[in-house]
Amino acid sequence: MNSILIIDDDDQLRNSFVKLLTEEGYNVDQAASGEAGVNIVKNKAPDIVILDMRLPGMNGFETFRAIHEVEPRLPVIIMTAFGTTDTAIEATKLGAFDYILKPFDIPAMLSLIKQALSASRFMRSPVDMDTIPDKASRDAIIGRSAVMQEVYKAIGRVSPTDATVLIRGESGTGKELVVRAIYQHSLRADKPFLVINCVAIPETLLESELFGYEKGAFTGAAHRRVGKIEQADGGTILLDEIGDMPLNLQAKMLRLLQEKSIERVGGRENIATDVRIIAATNRDLEAAISEGRFREDLYYRLKVVTIELPPLRERENDIPILTDYFLYKYSEEKGIKNPGISDKAKALLSGYSWPGNIRELENTIQKALIFNRGAPLSPDDIAQVINEKIHTSDLKKENVDDALRQWIRKELTKKNNAEDLFDSCMDDMANAVISEALNICDGNRSKAAKLLGLSRPTLHSKIEKYNIRMETLVKEDN
Ligand SMILES: Nc1ncnc2c1ncn2[C@@H]1O[C@H](COP(=O)(O)OP(=O)(O)OP(=O)(O)O)[C@@H](O)[C@H]1O
Ligand SMILES: [Mg+2]
């Protein structure tokens, strides 16, 4: 369970915090002074710390420094009120995870806590390579295929250098795991590591997140803010989804890579920085360049060392050991005996094309285990999950498009494809459209025909042709 240490001398605030976080499922320790807090850090090794700036005795800033000395990678969230923001900013410059102004709203704090916990895990929980870990709570990069051997070699080669690394691969192929392995084997393994997700942060905020800003740089900039790059000084930054970075920021990134310096938004000062950049993307950067969405000069700077992660369908031999690994991991997590998997179910997994790659395989095993009652996973257990993924999802257009494309991809990359692939896909589409229309119309064929703009006989013949059988059809109209 994730553990959080709260250091605050305000009993009331601390107690309500402890209550809230315990209810959220965290393991919480508390200290009313900096001295007591540092002791807990030494003895109990919490995953993150929430620290108030105004403390009696050892003040917040000194407490931060002491904690940082014990464990420089421990994410510390600083709580600050007006009057102590300057020291909070100083602490961020020295590597505090972030600061939040009091009074803060709870969702914002909970989201910051989640980010800090994930950063903590990223830096401090080791990633094993090519061995199934002894504890299921540890993460590992599993795979023995020749392409994965190349990936391990590349990780070994680039880790102990300061080279910029570009990691490419479809979604779910393990890019983040590889970044973690590189960081953990790097010369900067005891220095901070920060992730910036270029898609998740709105374009307008991304620049100030990365580069920080000066007071008065724009409306609402009441204080100076230290950006992530400055905060990670001496350490490493992952620019996740870099293919989606807006062009104006690409120019600033290029400058950072070339000149190793930045300017805060609204600032003139040139700030020297020493960060190692690792970038990841699932985009086709070459296409983005030719469409004018990605700078070619930045691309060349980034791709000095490139690690290409293969899609799972290109390393089918790894599917069985990945399956065994996830079975082991999630049975242990659920506290059940590993039920194993039947040979037929394994064959089904090997024959599927995994458009969502390892993440999809992992989710499939995890879900299949939910309803399992101890018998080895059967083809039905697996098929149920895979089909459900394809057929259901939120009815937002993007999701439906995604699911549809996923399904199409699956069909197109399936082994032993039919010769009339186009027609057979279209038949499946027609089947889905008609079934859904009938569903909506409660099985009433006249209504469904009207809805679809078909004559009733035409609809009838299509129902025959596509062999549509539904319970609702029994009701029939008339
Ligand atoms: N080789 C592997 N062995 C074991 N687990 C893996 C492997 N590759 C990926 N995973 C698991 O699959 C999931 C997705 O991996 P990860 O987040 O690293 O993918 P990604 O390439 O960064 O995807 P995205 O582009 O969507 O961000 C994670 O839970 C990760 O632990
Ligand atoms: Mg990722």
Side-chain angles (χ1 to χ4, degrees):
M1 191 167 32
N2 289 314
S3 63
I4 303 177
L5 166 64
I6 298 165
I7 311 178
D8 195 332
D9 62 322
D10 180 338
D11 295 342
Q12 209 183 340
L13 195 135
R14 205 178 58 243
N15 290 336
S16 55
F17 228 137
V18 171
K19 185 160 169 277
L20 169 78
L21 294 180
T22 312
E23 277 167 11
E24 290 286 321
Y26 298 119
N27 209 337
V28 192
D29 279 303
Q30 48 180 316
S33 72
E35 290 84 348
V38 175
N39 269 330
I40 296 181
V41 169
K42 282 184 188 151
N43 299 324
K44 291 184 98 172
D47 294 316
I48 64 166
V49 178
I50 300 172
L51 170 66
D52 189 34
M53 269 286 111
R54 214 191 290 270
L55 290 171
M58 195 175 177
N59 69 30
F61 189 68
E62 289 159 356
T63 307
F64 169 71
R65 296 251 293 235
I67 292 173
H68 204 55
E69 224 156 77
V70 179
E71 170 51 298
R73 296 167 307 169
L74 179 56
V76 177
I77 297 174
I78 287 177
M79 294 188 289
T80 174
F82 278 106
T84 55
T85 24
D86 282 351
T87 39
I89 293 168
E90 279 308 306
T92 347
K93 266 202 214 164
L94 293 180
F97 185 74
D98 207 341
Y99 66 85
I100 188 160
L101 272 176
K102 284 205 233 178
F104 46 80
D105 63 270
I106 291 174
M109 183 52 132
L110 289 177
S111 135
L112 201 53
I113 287 174
K114 280 217 178 91
Q115 291 170 36
L117 282 168
S118 109
S120 179
R121 182 173 177 79
F122 197 109
M123 288 185 265
R124 306 187 320 146
S125 162
V127 173
D128 294 346
M129 270 189 277
D130 197 27
T131 38
I132 301 221
D134 52 354
K135 275 190 276 167
S137 57
R138 282 166 72 118
D139 292 309
I141 310 179
I142 303 292
R144 302 209 179 118
S145 49
V147 269
M148 285 308 288
Q149 303 292 344
E150 287 308 313
V151 170
Y152 303 136
K153 277 188 219 158
I155 294 174
R157 270 197 304 269
V158 302
S159 295
T161 71
D162 265 344
T164 304
V165 187
L166 176 64
I167 315 228
R168 306 183 66 166
E170 287 177 16
S171 183
T173 46
K175 295 186 291 296
E176 187 167 322
L177 272 185
V178 168
V179 177
R180 259 170 85 180
I182 294 175
Y183 162 74
Q184 291 175 353
H185 291 95
S186 76
L187 304 169
R188 295 169 181 246
D190 59 348
K191 298 281 173 14
F193 180 97
L194 291 175
V195 182
I196 285 279
N197 188 318
C198 303
V199 184
I201 302 173
E203 185 172 338
T204 44
L205 281 184
L206 189 58
E207 183 173 18
S208 41
E209 274 288 309
L210 276 168
F211 298 95
Y213 52 78
E214 294 295 344
K215 181 175 173 177
F218 44 82
T219 341
H223 303 273
R224 164 186 290 171
R225 177 113 197 154
V226 175
K228 296 278 185 207
I229 294 170
E230 238 180 297
Q231 216 181 322
D233 199 27
T236 311
I237 282 200
L238 165 61
L239 295 172
D240 208 358
E241 320 280 5
I242 192 150
D244 297 83
M245 181 179 263
L247 274 169
N248 67 324
L249 286 190
Q250 291 177 25
K252 283 190 105 166
M253 279 317 301
L254 182 67
R255 197 174 130 201
L256 168 66
L257 287 169
Q258 284 171 338
E259 294 165 27
K260 308 212 175 310
S261 71
I262 58 155
E263 258 172 30
R264 298 192 191 111
V265 180
R268 298 241 175 91
E269 191 191 348
N270 237 325
I271 302 164
T273 47
D274 167 31
V275 284
R276 180 186 199 180
I277 304 283
I278 303 183
T281 185
N282 56 21
R283 297 264 180 204
D284 181 348
L285 289 183
E286 291 77 7
I289 292 170
S290 65
E291 288 160 20
R293 287 181 290 108
F294 203 83
R295 291 181 68 118
E296 194 167 10
D297 44 9
L298 178 59
Y299 168 75
Y300 283 110
R301 275 272 162 184
L302 290 172
K303 74 176 215 125
V304 180
V305 181
T306 304
I307 298 183
E308 195 80 54
L309 286 176
L312 189 52
R313 62 182 172 278
E314 283 172 20
R315 51 184 185 108
E316 198 189 298
N317 290 345
D318 284 339
I319 294 175
I321 53 169
L322 278 162
T323 303
D324 288 340
Y325 167 60
F326 292 132
L327 276 169
Y328 154 73
K329 187 175 171 110
Y330 289 104
S331 317
E332 193 155 302
E333 196 177 287
K334 269 184 78 190
I336 56 170
K337 186 167 164 284
N338 183 344
I341 179 165
S342 75
D343 288 345
K344 281 199 174 137
K346 267 198 169 170
L348 184 65
L349 291 175
S350 294
Y352 179 58
S353 67
W354 301 109
N357 293 297
I358 300 150
R359 179 180 294 117
E360 188 183 5
L361 175 62
E362 179 171 5
N363 291 341
T364 302
I365 302 293
Q366 203 178 355
K367 269 202 177 165
L369 277 176
I370 293 176
F371 300 107
N372 177 271
R373 293 183 189 277
L377 296 188
S378 67
D380 273 354
D381 293 334
I382 301 294
Q384 219 173 352
V385 181
I386 296 179
N387 289 334
E388 187 197 327
K389 277 170 65 81
I390 294 165
H391 291 302
T392 61
S393 70
D394 288 349
L395 284 177
K396 283 195 205 137
K397 174 136 186 352
E398 312 91 87
N399 292 346
V400 173
D401 275 350
D402 255 18
L404 184 60
R405 276 174 198 282
Q406 251 186 47
W407 169 76
I408 294 170
R409 273 252 296 280
K410 187 195 101 184
E411 290 299 301
L412 299 182
T413 53
K414 208 159 64 177
K415 272 170 254 164
N416 312 323
N417 257 327
E419 274 172 25
D420 56 346
L421 189 54
F422 182 79
D423 287 342
S424 89
C425 285
M426 288 303 142
D427 286 355
D428 283 347
M429 282 296 287
N431 185 316
V433 171
I434 293 167
S435 310
E436 282 317 306
L438 284 163
N439 254 330
I440 288 168
C441 302
D442 267 336
N444 184 315
R445 293 189 191 193
S446 308
K447 285 189 188 157
K450 202 162 167 220
L451 175 67
L452 292 169
L454 297 174
S455 70
R456 203 170 173 283
T458 311
L459 177 65
H460 186 77
S461 72
K462 289 192 189 297
I463 290 173
E464 294 297 341
K465 176 174 173 201
Y466 298 119
N467 198 16
I468 294 172
R469 295 265 166 270
M470 304 165 51
E471 275 159 32
T472 41
L473 285 186
V474 180
K475 278 198 265 162
E476 250 309 83
D477 43 325
N478 316 317

